[in-house]
């Protein structure tokens, strides 16, 4: 039987969903300009060795917590997690990009499916990070679906922005996204079954790239 | 060993900083503090060979209103191979009260092959307080061929400005996974510098940008609740030392402070 939430998940995860993600490279533009990621092979390595481990060690365990809190309707604790994300994101451009994407998503889903609870959170002055918005908009779905959705949004964001930064066709782009999701998916059940007590990831290169991108003389992407 | 260093820096009415309270226990020791450029310079000495698994060290330093204190180390901090499989643990808290200044400027941290180490750092800065906090993480004993061969480093840091969490880092660095990949992408033997600057309205952008070179990849950003961070990847120890010294000078000038001499020539 078709899960009743599946059409919703497909719609809000569609690449045409106007969340504004197409305008962000999340620091990748600077890494390409620096020559640290030059071609599709290196992009694939970057995703496999730096982005997926970061998702598994930080964002996804954090999303498990946020999803649980959102599912309970506990907006006070969700706000605390939201504000904590401000502290985790040291690079101002990554912090603002996450807030912009999250706020935009919350606003859009609110229009598609008006929900006083979502509206109240969106208007509360909370940072509305992308991760928190995903937890809220997918709070009635199984957490595994929320983790898959957030992972796909993150990975495809890098891959699709790369098509404007290097010689990368649509077909290769989709192959890279597919390979990344195949690598990541087997770890999700473990994250849900045994939530990590200690989360966090080390990626100073991407942090510095984002910090430098914020002051670049010319750029294609907002972040 | 279970060692500690507890310091409280206070200020005489005439404006001179002194240590109102001090307590330390091996493996930590203090050299005789001296005053320079209006600050009390305190060298934290570890007279043993370094840090070993099983060691548990606690640092707790408070700069009270009006005090200006600079904490530094005369030599690198070495962490040796874990024989037991367990880590050495260091917990450090630096508290800066309103109207006080504290700098922490250590020599490089050198984790040797097989080393296991867990460092927890908490920086608490009241409004109107000023802090300069530096970290220098080396890849290991490079001259001995040990590059990123430590067992595991757990590196935790929280920065509080007033009652707000301004920065949080939780790193687990190990050659067994991809956690070191971003360090190794630009240079094979990257030295990592990290700096937190609290209590200044702005950073001198052009001067900081000018530190970038083929050997040095530097970024800086405002934090979410006041203050700034500067992160740097350096090609080797020489470029790291040069960058750290220049960065320190730039930040001191931006805070309209004279740079205290640490008594070193490099």
């Amino acid at each position: 039987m078709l899960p009743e939430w599946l059409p919703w998940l497909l719609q809000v995860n569609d690449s045409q969903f106007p969340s504004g993600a197409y305008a962000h490279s999340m620091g990748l533009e600077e890494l390409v300009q620096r020559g640290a990621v030059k071609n599709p092979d290196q992009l694939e390595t970057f995703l496999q060795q730096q982005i997926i481990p970061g998702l598994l060690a930080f964002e996804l365990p954090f999303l498990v917590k946020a999803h649980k809190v959102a599912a309970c309707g506990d907006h006070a604790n969700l706000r605390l997690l939201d504000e904590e994300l401000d502290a985790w994101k040291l690079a101002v451009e990554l912090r603002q990009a996450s807030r912009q994407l999250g706020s935009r998503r919350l606003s859009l889903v609110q229009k598609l499916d008006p929900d006083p609870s979502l509206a109240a959170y969106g208007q509360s002055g909370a940072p509305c990070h992308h991760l928190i918005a995903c937890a809220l908009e997918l709070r009635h779905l199984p957490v595994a679906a929320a983790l898959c959705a957030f992972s796909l949004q993150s990975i495809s964001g890098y891959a699709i922005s790369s098509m404007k930064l290097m010689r990368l066709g649509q077909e290769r782009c989709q192959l890279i996204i597919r390979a990344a999701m195949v690598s990541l998916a087997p770890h999700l059940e473990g994250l849900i079954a045994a939530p990590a007590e200690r989360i966090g990831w080390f990626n100073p290169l991407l942090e510095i790239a984002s910090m430098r991108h914020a002051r670049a003389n010319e750029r294609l992407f907002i972040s | 060993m279970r060692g500690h260093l507890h310091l409280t820096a206070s200020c005489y009415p005439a404006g001179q900083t002194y240590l109102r309270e001090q307590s330390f226990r091996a493996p930590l020791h203090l050299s005789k503090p001296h005053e320079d450029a209006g600050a009390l310079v305190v060298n934290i000495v570890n007279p043993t060979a370094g840090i070993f698994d099983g060691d548990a060290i606690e640092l707790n330093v408070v700069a009270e209103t009006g005090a200006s204190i600079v904490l530094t180390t005369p030599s690198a901090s070495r962490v040796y191979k874990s024989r037991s499989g367990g880590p050495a643990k260091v917990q450090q808290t630096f508290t800066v009260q309103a109207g006080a200044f504290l700098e922490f400027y250590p020599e490089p941290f050198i984790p040797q092959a097989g080393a296991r180490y867990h460092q927890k750092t908490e920086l608490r800065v009241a409004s109107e307080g000023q802090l300069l906090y530096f970290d220098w993480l080396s890849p290991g004993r490079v001259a001995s061929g040990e590059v990123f061969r430590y067992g595991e480093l757990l590196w935790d840091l929280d920065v509080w400005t007033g009652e707000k969490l301004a920065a949080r880092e939780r790193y687990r660095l190990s050659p067994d996974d991809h956690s070191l990949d971003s360090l190794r992408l630009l240079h094979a033997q990257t030295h990592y510098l990290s700096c937190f600057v609290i209590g200044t309205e702005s950073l001198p952008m052009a001067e900081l940008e000018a530190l970038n070179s083929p050997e040095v990849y530097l970024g800086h950003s405002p934090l979410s609740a006041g203050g700034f961070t500067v992160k740097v990847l350096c090609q080797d120890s020489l470029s790291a030392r040069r960058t750290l010294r220049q960065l320190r000078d730039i930040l001191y000038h931006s805070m309209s402070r004279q740079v205290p001499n640490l008594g070193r020539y490099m």
Side-chain angles (χ1 to χ4, degrees):
Chain A
M1 184 176 168
L2 183 72
E4 63 181 26
W5 46 262
L6 187 57
W8 172 256
L9 181 65
L10 292 173
Q11 182 175 3
V12 297
N13 242 20
D14 189 278
S15 62
Q16 299 300 313
F17 191 70
S19 65
Y22 69 90
H24 295 273
S25 79
M26 298 294 180
L28 183 60
E29 182 175 12
E30 157 66 18
L31 286 182
V32 173
Q33 287 176 352
R34 175 77 183 190
V37 180
K38 289 182 274 197
N39 54 48
D41 287 345
Q42 290 183 352
L43 171 66
E44 189 150 24
T45 303
F46 170 74
L47 290 175
Q48 293 283 351
Q49 297 184 355
Q50 297 196 45
I51 300 305
I52 292 175
L55 283 167
L56 291 171
F58 174 55
E59 279 102 339
L60 297 182
F62 203 99
L63 180 54
V64 171
K65 279 201 289 188
H67 186 269
K68 187 176 179 183
V69 172
C72 297
D74 184 354
H75 284 191
N77 276 316
L78 195 65
R79 172 81 180 253
L80 291 178
L81 292 173
D82 209 353
E83 288 171 348
E84 188 184 331
L85 278 175
D86 265 346
W88 281 98
K89 294 181 181 295
L90 299 188
V92 65
E93 209 180 65
L94 290 179
R95 193 162 66 235
Q96 288 174 347
S98 174
R99 281 172 162 234
Q100 285 171 10
L101 290 178
S103 299
R104 178 82 178 136
R105 289 195 77 86
L106 269 191
S107 167
L108 272 169
V109 299
Q110 176 61 22
K111 287 175 184 164
L112 297 176
D113 186 12
D115 179 337
S117 172
L118 278 191
Y121 190 83
Q123 291 161 9
S124 68
C128 291
H129 281 282
H130 179 205
L131 185 152
I132 299 296
C134 280
L136 271 170
E137 77 185 34
L138 304 176
R139 68 192 187 283
H140 299 310
L141 277 61
V143 64
L147 297 184
C148 272
F150 183 80
S151 302
L152 182 62
Q153 287 170 25
S154 302
I155 289 166
S156 63
Y158 284 110
I160 290 170
S161 65
S162 297
M163 289 197 296
K164 294 178 185 165
L165 297 170
M166 63 181 72
R167 289 181 65 85
L168 173 65
Q170 290 189 352
E171 191 174 308
R172 181 72 198 276
C173 179
Q174 290 302 318
L175 284 169
I176 288 172
I177 294 171
R178 171 68 181 154
M181 290 303 291
V182 166
S183 294
L184 183 139
H187 301 282
L188 298 184
E189 288 295 341
L191 282 181
I192 298 164
E197 288 182 14
R198 189 176 191 285
I199 65 171
W201 183 247
F202 182 64
N203 197 327
L205 182 66
L206 194 57
E207 274 180 349
I208 294 172
S210 174
M211 292 172 187
R212 290 175 58 79
H213 185 267
R215 294 184 50 77
N217 288 328
E218 53 189 44
R219 56 189 188 179
L220 287 173
F221 293 93
I222 298 171
S223 75
Chain B
M1 300 181 90
R2 300 185 70 82
H4 72 258
L5 170 65
H6 297 161
L7 292 179
T8 302
S10 195
C11 181
Y12 288 122
Q16 194 175 34
T17 298
Y18 68 101
L19 294 180
R20 187 170 65 76
E21 291 178 344
Q22 66 175 47
S23 169
F24 50 85
R25 177 178 171 177
L28 295 184
H29 196 81
L30 287 188
S31 68
K32 190 173 180 180
H34 69 275
E35 190 180 32
D36 195 80
L40 191 68
V41 180
V42 178
N43 272 279
I44 304 171
V45 181
N46 182 344
T48 71
I51 300 172
F52 295 86
D53 54 301
D55 284 357
I57 299 170
E58 184 185 308
L59 279 83
N60 191 355
V61 181
V62 179
E64 294 184 330
T65 298
S68 291
I69 184 168
V70 176
L71 299 159
T72 185
T73 57
S75 60
S77 294
R78 294 172 177 80
V79 182
Y80 291 89
K81 177 181 179 179
S82 172
R83 300 149 299 176
S84 66
K89 294 182 178 178
V90 170
Q91 182 150 356
Q92 48 191 20
T93 304
F94 300 100
T95 304
V96 186
Q97 295 182 357
F101 169 80
L102 187 151
E103 179 193 9
F104 182 66
Y105 185 92
E107 283 289 294
F109 178 81
I110 305 176
Q112 299 193 358
R116 292 186 175 274
Y117 178 80
H118 189 175
Q119 177 175 294
K120 287 185 178 178
T121 303
E122 191 165 296
L123 309 176
R124 289 192 169 271
V125 187
S127 63
E128 310 298 323
Q130 289 187 310
L131 171 86
L132 275 180
Y133 176 87
F134 296 94
D135 262 327
W136 176 354
L137 175 59
S138 82
R141 289 193 303 177
V142 175
S144 301
E146 291 181 5
V147 179
F148 297 122
R149 285 181 53 200
Y150 38 83
E152 180 185 70
L153 300 187
L154 299 181
W155 205 265
D156 298 359
L157 180 140
D158 282 345
V159 182
W160 294 85
T161 54
E163 297 303 313
K164 288 188 175 175
L165 181 65
R168 172 161 283 173
E169 297 179 316
R170 298 285 184 274
Y171 301 150
R172 178 187 177 274
L173 302 181
S174 167
D176 299 334
D177 57 25
H178 293 299
S179 55
L180 294 168
D181 286 14
S182 79
L183 273 188
R184 292 189 284 213
L185 195 61
L186 295 186
H187 308 293
Q189 301 169 358
T190 300
H191 285 242
Y192 169 65
L193 307 178
S194 174
C195 174
F196 288 92
V197 189
I198 311 294
T200 183
E201 291 298 316
S202 61
L203 293 183
M205 307 284 188
E207 290 176 64
L208 289 177
E209 303 284 327
L211 296 179
N212 277 292
S213 73
E215 297 173 341
V216 175
Y217 193 55
L218 178 147
H220 52 84
S221 175
L223 300 173
S224 63
F228 299 86
T229 186
V230 183
K231 301 284 183 180
V232 196
L233 301 179
C234 299
Q235 179 177 272
D236 52 26
S237 62
L238 293 177
S239 55
R241 184 171 293 282
R242 185 180 64 244
T243 304
L244 199 55
R245 193 184 64 234
Q246 292 171 331
L247 181 58
R248 181 171 186 256
D249 285 349
I250 290 169
L251 294 175
Y252 260 94
H253 289 134
S254 78
M255 297 172 115
S256 302
R257 286 183 167 273
Q258 282 187 290
V259 188
N261 190 332
L262 301 179
R264 292 174 208 148
Y265 296 99
M266 289 186 67

